[in-house]
Amino acid sequence: MTATAIRIQESALDPAQAVLNQRHPAGEPILFQVRQGQTLRIVDLEGNQAADVIFYSSDDLAEHYSATDTMLRQGGIYLTTGSVLYSSEGRAMLTIVADTCGRHDTLGGACAAESNTVRYALQKKFMHSCRDNYLIALQHADIGLGKADLVPNINFFMNVPVTADGGLKFDDGVSGPGKYVEMRAEMDVWVLISNCPQLNNPCNAYNPTPIQLLVWDPV
């Protein structure tokens, strides 16, 4: 498995034509649907903010984003323009059609009380985390998803290099203000996002910030 080359691609879509265009607060979760053929854009408004995302099939909630299938199919460990996001059933869920950041992580996982303790300090256990965010969003939505349905996620805009000995490093981000990633849905999906509240590593400069979410209908 090799590092995927960075592929920068601008989008031709006009935000004024989006059917959804909303600012999402720093550190908060959200769950919403994107229909087949629609395009989802996630914007890193202030730079280096990690958006932790899991996708689920709307038709079968047991079918979800698969980091392993996605990496194996593309033969690389990072996501960028042209990457197809595959499900646990080996089906295409979304395709990255535009990307002005160029590199996104799907190895580092979502922060949790347990990982905060291991990575940082015992007293960090009760800090706000993406895993808690996911659970709050799923509980409020009450669509049949719960703790057992949380799977390895995508960390959009997050920089997690793999070291020569196979370890992971949580480094400064490679994104910047206004950078975005855009995906075309290949099936109806639920989109679960934790706009990462992490305060302990440099990926977001120790300062969680808002993101922008836009959705377009097929043209």
Side-chain angles (χ1 to χ4, degrees):
M1 193 74 70
T2 60
T4 310
I6 290 176
R7 296 187 289 271
I8 301 296
Q9 176 66 51
E10 297 274 356
S11 171
L13 293 178
D14 180 1
Q17 302 301 316
V19 295
L20 170 74
N21 188 345
Q22 70 180 54
R23 185 182 179 95
H24 185 65
E28 294 299 318
I30 187 172
L31 178 70
F32 60 99
Q33 283 190 293
V34 174
R35 300 296 184 183
Q36 183 178 13
Q38 288 187 318
T39 299
L40 166 67
R41 180 188 294 180
I42 304 174
V43 185
D44 183 5
L45 288 174
E46 297 185 30
N48 294 341
Q49 173 60 28
D52 292 38
V53 184
I54 306 176
F55 299 101
Y56 300 90
S57 167
S58 295
D59 294 331
D60 178 7
L61 294 177
E63 183 176 5
H64 53 74
Y65 170 73
S66 170
T68 51
D69 282 272
T70 298
M71 288 186 289
L72 286 170
R73 292 288 191 103
Q74 72 169 2
I77 59 176
Y78 303 117
L79 305 177
T80 188
T81 306
S83 294
V84 178
L85 312 182
Y86 284 95
S87 77
S88 52
E89 300 301 316
R91 300 199 301 152
M93 300 191 83
L94 302 100
T95 301
I96 298 179
V97 292
D99 184 8
T100 60
C101 174
R103 172 170 288 182
H104 309 276
D105 165 65
T106 191
L107 287 172
C111 58
E114 296 81 5
S115 62
N116 282 342
T117 300
V118 172
R119 290 175 182 164
Y120 309 116
L122 289 174
Q123 63 267 31
K124 305 292 186 180
K125 179 176 181 179
F126 301 104
M127 293 186 72
H128 200 31
S129 70
C130 285
R131 187 173 177 83
D132 289 342
N133 266 351
Y134 288 153
L135 293 174
I136 290 168
L138 294 181
Q139 182 181 38
H140 287 171
D142 195 22
I143 61 170
L145 291 169
K147 186 175 182 179
D149 300 297
L150 297 183
V151 297
N153 61 289
I154 300 171
N155 296 306
F156 287 112
F157 312 114
M158 192 165 168
N159 185 26
V160 184
V162 177
T163 64
D165 60 359
L168 298 179
K169 294 172 59 185
F170 293 85
D171 280 1
D172 291 344
V174 294
S175 186
K179 300 288 187 182
Y180 60 82
V181 59
E182 203 169 271
M183 293 156 278
R184 182 184 64 241
E186 310 297 354
M187 63 170 72
D188 292 351
V189 294
W190 282 100
V191 183
L192 177 60
I193 300 178
S194 170
N195 192 22
C196 186
Q198 183 58 255
L199 296 169
N200 297 294
N201 71 50
C203 294
N204 60 7
Y206 310 102
N207 178 40
T209 54
I211 56 175
Q212 195 84 10
L213 300 171
L214 300 94
V215 175
W216 287 266
D217 284 335
V219 293

